[in-house]
Amino acid sequence: MNLKTLKIIAPERLQQQSVTAVLLALGSNYQAEKHLPRVRESLAALGKIKLSTAFKNPDFTSTVELPKPNYTNQCIYLSLTSPVALEQLQQTFKQFESDCERQRLIETQTAIKQVTMDIDILLIKLSNNKNSLSNENMSEWIMMADRYPFKAHESAGIEELIAGSGTDC
């Protein structure tokens, strides 16, 4: 799969579309060893998941004057058991973040944000397409415009999953 050839569409235009698979970016800079396994378990309840390597990354907004905790990031391929509207899937992921005690209001009020869990949708596959991440048909996957261009760790995780070297769960 060549990411540069995929359609890039704003999520707002896809809210009612049924999705059969997603490629997600997970991130945590606070108690990641607790929250990542919890979210992976919740995601596995929705379908079959495949994991990239978990990467430890500095917060890109960190400065010498205002150091910030590192993030642990991981990409996940989730093949859903049954199709779900993108809007519903986004709400489910927001609930998973809340289940990890994410507090967005407090995050916006502090200079150093403690993010227990962040789940971002990078790519989706609509229900009228085949359900294989490594399929050669480039038009099957859609990139979320609000997440592109991808950060380096997201690109590395996506490439690892596409190459088939991710871990099955």
Side-chain angles (χ1 to χ4, degrees):
M1 174 192 312
N2 182 349
L3 295 176
K4 293 178 183 172
T5 64
L6 296 181
K7 289 182 184 177
I8 302 172
I9 300 177
E12 305 81 51
R13 292 184 46 209
L14 300 165
Q15 292 298 296
Q16 301 309 312
Q17 297 293 317
S18 289
V19 175
T20 59
V22 292
L23 210 145
L24 306 171
L26 307 183
S28 174
N29 72 355
Y30 183 72
Q31 297 182 343
E33 67 285 347
K34 171 184 171 185
H35 298 296
L36 283 169
R38 181 178 186 175
V39 157
R40 289 191 300 252
E41 185 177 312
S42 296
L43 291 168
L46 300 176
K48 183 178 177 188
I49 66 172
K50 191 168 213 167
L51 312 172
S52 76
T53 301
F55 300 98
K56 197 95 161 177
N57 299 297
D59 184 320
F60 70 92
T61 64
S62 183
T63 64
V64 173
E65 299 80 29
L66 187 60
K68 297 181 181 180
N70 291 336
Y71 273 86
T72 301
N73 300 103
Q74 185 170 40
C75 287
I76 294 190
Y77 167 65
L78 167 61
S79 176
L80 296 161
T81 303
S82 56
V84 177
L86 178 59
E87 181 177 40
Q88 181 183 350
L89 200 55
Q90 289 169 321
Q91 290 305 314
T92 299
F93 296 157
K94 293 291 180 216
Q95 184 58 54
F96 290 171
E97 291 174 346
S98 292
D99 292 346
C100 290
E101 302 166 15
R102 178 149 189 197
Q103 299 178 14
R104 291 180 186 276
L105 182 60
I106 292 171
E107 289 172 28
T108 60
Q109 298 172 346
T110 60
I112 300 176
K113 299 175 182 170
Q114 289 185 337
V115 179
T116 57
M117 181 50 54
D118 183 45
I119 304 172
D120 293 313
I121 301 173
L122 304 177
L123 301 166
I124 65 168
K125 185 181 282 190
L126 300 179
S127 64
N128 59 348
N129 293 321
K130 294 178 186 174
N131 201 10
S132 170
L133 180 64
S134 59
N135 193 299
E136 293 300 319
N137 186 345
M138 303 301 181
S139 65
E140 291 189 356
W141 286 88
I142 297 171
M143 271 192 275
M144 298 288 92
D146 62 338
R147 296 300 307 164
Y148 190 79
F150 299 128
K151 296 174 183 163
H153 62 270
E154 292 169 340
S155 293
I158 292 168
E159 293 299 329
E160 183 179 337
L161 291 169
I162 290 170
S165 55
T167 305
D168 289 321
C169 286

